[in-house]
Amino acid sequence: MTRRGKVFHSKHGRPGKRQREGGRPPRQHQEARFEGEILGRIYTAEMPLSAQDLLEALELSKSHRQEVLGVLEDLCRRKVLSCRRDTFALRKSVELFAGPISVTTKGYGFVAPTEAPAELEIDQDVFIPPGMLGGAAHNDKVLVQLMSRRQGRYEGRVIAVLNRATTRLVGVYMAGGTTGLVTPEDSRFPYNLVIRKEDSRGAKNGDAVLAEVTSFAAGQRNLDGIILEVLGNPKDIQVQTEMVIRKFDLPHLFTQEVTTQVEGLDPEVKMTPGRTDLRGVVHVTIDGETARDFDDAVAIEPLKNGYRLYVSIADVSHYVRPHTPVDVEAYQRGTSVYFPTRVIPMLPERLSNNLCSLVPNEDRYTFTAMLDFDEHGKRLGKRFMKSIIRSRHRLTYTTVKQVLTDRDPAVLSQYADIIPALEMMGRLALSLEKRRIKRGSIGFELPEPLAVLGEDNTVQTIKRSERNQAHKLIEEFMLAANEAVAETQTEGKIDSLYRIHEPPDPLKVAEFTEFAQSMGLNVDDGDGSPKWFGQVLAMAAGTPQEYIISNLLLRTMQQARYSQHNLGHFGLAATHYTHFTSPIRRYPDLMVHRALAASLQKKGKVLPAGETVSTEEAGTFLSKRERVAVEADREMMERLQVHFMADKIDETFEAIISGVTSFGLFVELTEVFVNGAVPITEMRDDYYELEEGRHRLIGQRTKTIFQIGDLVQVRLTSVEIPRRRINFSIEEKLAGATDLAKPATGKRVKGPTKDRKKAAVQPRKRAVKAK
């Protein structure tokens, strides 16, 4: 390994005959491979290398010496390398850089210039045309040679794969005679794997499998591989879940070392010095019907002019000590991942569903935030303590809604002992929400898809998840605790993680402002602050433009992430924010617990999962783990959607247009929570012109407009299960679609300044034809 990376080199020898069929002659393939690996080695070495150095680095025998020398001679003749005294170095005139490649399903890619030298002045991703990938797969680290710079766009070709992102892939096995073939499920892998029968692990034709590449060769379509695991019939939803787990490389098995440690934990809860006995305070948990890991409980008491709120969180740090096997494993996972068919927990089940879970009528170790508020929700004081509680009830969101909203007599009678407390909680939550919205917190009401499975794991329906007053109550209490902890971190100069959300790109906000004005919304110049966002959403609420405004505003936002530095949370309009309330399923919360406890006890800093990991490095790593979990969850939902829709070909549905592109429309069904596309090839009634800045297609002949937010009737034309695509055609445009002719009414809202708006992209028109 050198400072810039490493070159992947197979230890399994040269490719076999079957691997080379259909490509260049074998010798040309060998020379192409040598050229790429030679340039990769010299680039990463950052110093001249001799032919002998290269032979040793590439682990080649002396029989390959003449071939390597021939390639080196050719590279010198082409002035790619400078050759002096049997040493070879890259010429400065050769424009090379390294970076990760993002491959598309259409066979081209983009390389982020993360390691490009400053003198190249590359300020954007470099386009890699089809046929120039050099055997690279999605997320590989590659060495790129710049080929051209046209109209502000850079093009290049991959000349070497410096580091393979993965050698494992999920695919479908096709059985043959002496060999079989694994076709990767992800089309961004530009090859198939040839599997010898003895390496197939008994896989049957059509089985989903986890396979591994055993040899790479640039430009080859078929590579040698072996099957590591047979997953089963891909039509089974359970198997689909296993495919997602393997595809995203989610750690799903605990080592024996971790299991042994957890089995040896003492289950007895004892009162010890430094803990506060809160078993006399009436706590309850409020979660979903299927939840099993209860990591937060709440309680409330009246004060003379307000309330005392207790937010008691499972004290995971009591059981998961720094640098132990279970701690290292939890850090590597970063977060629990929840699928409809199973959970991939951050912690072993004995911890997540038993020792740490705040089950009713059992003593549990907790970390409590005790927060005092006045009648209007203004915080008057805060204290934090290690504690022991005993939850009185395991409530669900539905139960609390039946108490606070429905006033169900049977439920009111069943929980008579805690009704006054729940009513106080309801009042406090409303006050907290009002204060949060008033300061500018942005209130996006975006439902999540909820898959309903039958007993046989078939998808019964996919609906929009409900968010009622009970959900908002718990949300407000958790937000209040997280903000109070973050403020304490700053006041005490505690080295820990914050949950930050940086302001959106002003150019994106300016583009949105121009679009909103084109729709008739009275959005004026301003600073694009959180309060401005909230005012725009309030203006659009209840109007035909509400969907489109919420959708496009959300697209201007940056991703929230973890950082050692407090940069505030734009979406919440909070100056201080962190994650404290879910340590059973999020490692950042566990880090915050440890840091806060150490501060209360006047102890030193505790590093996460290994003494060499800094807080900032942990924030970056855990943000990545969170994104992987989100992507895996999103893909699982896409798989459920295509299986649900597969038997509904030719049925019609009402849908709202959720996106507009040059190749068609994206739609979201209204009766079930399913997304799909209307390809431009299905819009045969006219030639359509794309106005990107206004997110709409306009028919050149009929002047028909299809814009984001419009209601349409669509017909399901096809479902591509392997590619997770659902395709529709438009039957008709429905009444209730966005009416561009009617300007919105209401108060004018100031948007980004005119100086920022000047830099915004003007609406561009592009003709697109249905073929």
Side-chain angles (χ1 to χ4, degrees), residues 688-726:
Y688 284 90
E689 191 174 64
L690 172 66
E691 284 192 0
E692 289 182 280
R694 296 190 177 183
H695 305 275
R696 65 183 184 179
L697 293 176
I698 302 178
Q700 293 183 358
R701 180 176 56 84
T702 63
K703 303 303 179 185
T704 301
I705 295 175
F706 291 104
Q707 183 166 36
I708 184 172
D710 283 352
L711 285 175
V712 290
Q713 189 84 9
V714 296
R715 180 180 298 277
L716 181 63
T717 58
S718 65
V719 177
E720 304 172 55
I721 291 180
R723 302 175 74 180
R724 303 188 304 282
R725 291 184 179 176
I726 302 172

Side-chain angles (χ1 to χ4, degrees), residues 116-405:
E119 57 267 23
L120 292 184
E121 298 181 344
I122 304 175
D123 58 357
Q124 58 185 268
D125 291 352
V126 174
F127 175 69
I128 310 297
M132 295 289 183
L133 296 179
H138 185 60
N139 282 336
D140 286 349
K141 183 179 180 181
V142 296
L143 183 62
V144 174
Q145 181 178 10
L146 286 181
M147 305 298 293
S148 66
R149 308 179 188 221
R150 300 177 193 164
Q151 298 177 346
R153 189 177 78 166
Y154 299 84
E155 286 192 11
R157 69 181 182 100
V158 175
I159 61 174
V161 177
L162 301 179
N163 197 11
R164 294 283 176 183
T166 181
T167 61
R168 297 183 175 190
L169 56 88
V170 173
V172 176
Y173 179 69
M174 292 181 287
T178 58
T179 63
L181 198 68
V182 172
T183 303
E185 194 190 38
D186 191 337
S187 57
R188 295 174 298 183
F189 289 95
Y191 46 75
N192 297 321
L193 298 188
V194 177
I195 309 294
R196 295 183 300 177
K197 192 169 185 178
E198 58 266 34
D199 294 327
S200 67
R201 290 188 177 268
K204 300 187 292 293
N205 189 57
D207 274 349
V209 299
L210 175 67
E212 183 171 37
V213 183
T214 55
S215 66
F216 280 96
Q220 293 295 332
R221 176 62 183 165
N222 292 338
L223 306 179
D224 285 335
I226 60 174
I227 289 178
L228 300 175
E229 193 176 358
V230 179
L231 303 178
N233 185 348
K235 294 181 180 179
D236 187 303
I237 296 301
Q238 289 277 18
V239 174
Q240 288 285 321
T241 304
E242 298 302 318
M243 294 168 75
V244 172
I245 292 170
R246 273 47 170 208
K247 177 178 177 178
F248 287 90
D249 198 21
L250 299 177
H252 58 286
L253 298 173
F254 290 103
T255 65
Q256 186 58 50
E257 187 179 22
V258 171
T259 302
T260 300
Q261 181 196 345
V262 173
E263 287 175 350
L265 294 172
D266 184 2
E268 186 178 358
V269 177
K270 308 170 186 175
M271 182 56 65
T272 56
R275 283 201 183 268
T276 302
D277 189 349
L278 296 180
R279 286 173 290 188
V281 177
V282 180
H283 281 79
V284 297
T285 61
I286 305 175
D287 293 276
E289 274 76 5
T290 60
R292 296 174 62 196
D293 50 349
F294 312 127
D295 49 15
D296 60 85
V298 293
I300 195 166
E301 294 174 342
L303 297 178
K304 184 177 180 180
N305 294 309
Y307 313 92
R308 171 162 291 168
L309 175 68
Y310 298 85
V311 179
S312 294
I313 307 300
D315 187 7
V316 175
S317 63
H318 174 82
Y319 298 103
V320 181
R321 302 300 172 93
H323 320 312
T324 58
V326 68
D327 178 51
V328 174
E329 179 68 21
Y331 176 76
Q332 291 301 321
R333 296 185 177 213
T335 180
S336 296
V337 186
Y338 296 87
F339 296 122
T341 55
R342 66 174 292 189
V343 176
I344 310 299
M346 185 182 79
L347 299 172
E349 190 170 328
R350 185 166 187 250
L351 282 171
S352 60
N353 294 351
N354 185 357
L355 298 182
C356 294
S357 187
L358 307 183
V359 295
N361 303 313
E362 294 285 347
D363 290 354
R364 287 292 183 263
Y365 292 122
T366 48
F367 204 157
T368 297
M370 191 173 75
L371 310 174
D372 292 344
F373 298 93
D374 68 15
E375 295 174 340
H376 304 292
K378 179 181 178 181
R379 178 160 33 89
L380 304 174
K382 62 183 188 293
R383 285 181 55 200
F384 305 96
M385 64 203 73
K386 289 292 187 85
S387 55
I388 294 178
I389 71 161
R390 175 181 283 248
S391 174
R392 298 295 199 277
H393 293 283
R394 181 268 198 260
L395 302 178
T396 66
Y397 295 118
T398 301
T399 301
V400 176
K401 176 179 176 289
Q402 290 170 330
V403 170
L404 297 180
T405 305

Side-chain angles (χ1 to χ4, degrees), residues 26 76 161 169 258 280 366 429 468 571 580 650 733 750:
C76 293
V161 177
L169 56 88
V258 171
T366 48
N468 57 42
F580 167 80
D650 281 335
K733 189 172 177 179
K750 292 188 175 182

Side-chain angles (χ1 to χ4, degrees), residues 610-624:
E611 295 178 0
T612 60
V613 181
S614 70
T615 304
E616 189 62 24
E617 289 170 329
T620 300
F621 174 77
L622 294 169
S623 295
K624 290 179 180 178

Side-chain angles (χ1 to χ4, degrees), residues 581-630:
T581 55
S582 296
I584 291 178
R585 62 182 179 90
R586 289 190 307 227
Y587 196 89
D589 302 54
L590 177 56
M591 288 181 60
V592 170
H593 277 225
R594 287 173 176 162
L596 181 59
S599 174
L600 294 174
Q601 298 167 15
K602 308 301 182 185
K603 291 185 178 179
K605 170 180 170 183
V606 179
L607 290 174
E611 295 178 0
T612 60
V613 181
S614 70
T615 304
E616 189 62 24
E617 289 170 329
T620 300
F621 174 77
L622 294 169
S623 295
K624 290 179 180 178
R625 294 308 303 163
E626 177 191 32
R627 285 194 288 274
V628 169
V630 169

Side-chain angles (χ1 to χ4, degrees), residues 508-525:
K508 289 185 177 181
V509 179
E511 290 174 15
F512 165 80
T513 304
E514 291 191 357
F515 170 73
Q517 290 171 344
S518 75
M519 289 186 67
L521 284 176
N522 294 319
V523 179
D524 206 348
D525 295 340

